[in-house]
Amino acid sequence: MILGVAVALLANALYSAGFVLEKRALAALPALDPRRPLHLLRALASSPGWLLGFTVLGLGFGAQLKVYQLLPIAVAQGVFLSGTVLLIALSAVALGERPGRRELLATGVILLALLAVIGSLGGGDADGNRVGAAAPVLPLLAVCLPCLAFGLLLFLASLRRAGRRHRRSSSGVPYGVALGLLYGVSSLAIKGTSAAFADRSVTAALPELLRGPHPWLLIATGAAGLALSQTALQRCRASVIVPVTTTVSSIFTVIAGTVVFDEHLPTEPLRLALRLGGTALAVLVLLTLPRHDEPSPVPAHQGEPRHATTQ
């Protein structure tokens, strides 16, 4: 458990640093549109700063793969929520994104949720979970495919609304919800992939893994997530996009993953309350974040009408 939490915190640090590096690089790139994938890929590949951020994110992915071999999925997602706090701090320092009052409240809620989930941990395999267990294919697809479709439709609808004139600038919450569903499915695919390598070598596990849905779900969500997340990061603040994405992804993964992978909740009343309470607090994060950015204040001399002068 201790090793799993430590690796999860390392993954958080890598993910946060990678997102900040990508966000800095995106500011210098032309406007991205996921409906023009070749143009998007060429723009990203031409940026050394973005490629560095992408490499750091890849290291975070490798750490996440290891986490799912060490921790039950609900516990792993609870620890991953702590990355939101680090991301907000890094965004303020490196990107100049100053969080508002409600965003600071959300940070405090996430800290409480993390403490609650960590407090629900038991010793060893106390909840009867087989951490490396694989999921049945049909329940996995029944959960993942509708959520993938809904997430993609929500993102495209938000993109169309943002393109209309006279719309208030979106804070990024709709994009974050859509990406959270996408990355939630990706997390289930990562969990299933890690289970294949839990007690076998790569050469022994690879043929069976390729016959299942996990690597293909991972490739599909990875490709879609690359295009959609970079578009959202370029348009909105990282300190909003990433926390909302992480929270939705964590909630989806905990609820869906606990069922699909048959990982049991704690049986002791106190630990059960901490686990469920931590998840409920994470839900509150979404309720405290504004849907739109506040408009920039207009100087008084610009807001007052001009009066005609007479000679």
Side-chain angles (χ1 to χ4, degrees):
M1 282 288 186
I2 294 175
L3 177 60
V5 171
V7 177
L9 293 175
L10 173 62
N12 284 342
L14 291 169
Y15 275 130
S16 297
F19 277 122
V20 168
L21 289 169
E22 286 186 346
K23 174 67 175 176
R24 286 175 63 93
L26 287 168
L29 295 180
L32 302 178
D33 188 337
R35 294 164 294 192
R36 301 174 60 196
L38 294 179
H39 174 269
L40 184 147
L41 288 175
R42 281 197 299 267
L44 295 179
S46 67
S47 171
W50 185 88
L51 291 173
L52 175 60
F54 182 74
T55 301
V56 174
L57 281 176
L59 295 175
F61 169 80
Q64 185 181 7
L65 196 66
K66 184 63 178 177
V67 169
Y68 284 137
Q69 295 177 356
L70 299 171
L71 294 178
I73 201 164
V75 176
Q77 291 303 315
V79 181
F80 285 145
L81 281 172
S82 67
T84 302
V85 180
L86 178 59
L87 188 280
I88 290 175
L90 285 177
S91 296
V93 173
L95 303 175
E97 297 181 358
R98 303 302 178 195
R101 200 179 314 174
R102 279 187 285 181
E103 290 157 6
L104 290 175
L105 174 62
T107 303
V109 172
I110 289 170
L111 281 171
L112 290 176
L114 172 65
L115 293 174
V117 172
I118 291 179
S120 74
L121 299 180
D125 201 19
D127 301 324
N129 291 321
R130 293 185 300 117
V131 176
V137 172
L138 289 181
L140 180 69
L141 294 179
V143 168
C144 290
L145 295 182
C147 290
L148 267 180
F150 178 76
L152 291 172
L153 289 174
L154 176 61
F155 192 97
L156 292 176
S158 301
L159 202 62
R160 283 195 298 270
R161 284 196 300 270
R164 296 174 187 166
R165 297 183 64 183
H166 309 302
R167 291 282 301 181
R168 292 177 63 190
S169 176
S170 173
S171 66
V173 172
Y175 295 126
V177 172
L179 287 169
L181 291 173
L182 190 71
Y183 285 129
V185 172
S186 181
S187 291
L188 296 184
I190 294 172
K191 171 70 173 176
T193 301
S194 69
F197 298 111
D199 52 7
R200 290 178 293 176
S201 66
V202 174
T203 53
L206 194 57
E208 181 181 344
L209 179 66
L210 293 177
R211 289 194 295 269
H214 301 103
W216 311 114
L217 278 175
L218 194 54
I219 291 171
T221 54
L226 174 65
L228 301 186
S229 65
Q230 300 311 305
T231 302
L233 269 178
Q234 190 181 55
R235 293 165 178 257
C236 307
R237 287 179 292 153
S239 56
V240 172
I241 286 286
V242 178
V244 174
T245 298
T246 303
T247 302
V248 173
S249 174
S250 296
I251 294 169
F252 171 83
T253 306
V254 168
I255 295 173
T258 299
V259 174
V260 169
F261 289 93
D262 194 27
E263 293 186 348
H264 309 297
L265 292 170
T267 54
E268 299 172 19
L270 177 59
R271 290 175 54 220
L272 178 62
L274 288 171
R275 183 76 60 85
L276 296 178
T279 304
L281 283 174
V283 175
L284 291 179
V285 173
L286 294 180
L287 303 179
T288 62
L289 289 173
R291 296 296 189 270
H292 298 277
D293 283 333
E294 293 298 324
S296 301
V298 179
H301 69 276
Q302 292 184 14
E304 298 173 353
R306 293 179 178 270
H307 297 283
T309 59
T310 58
Q311 304 241 343

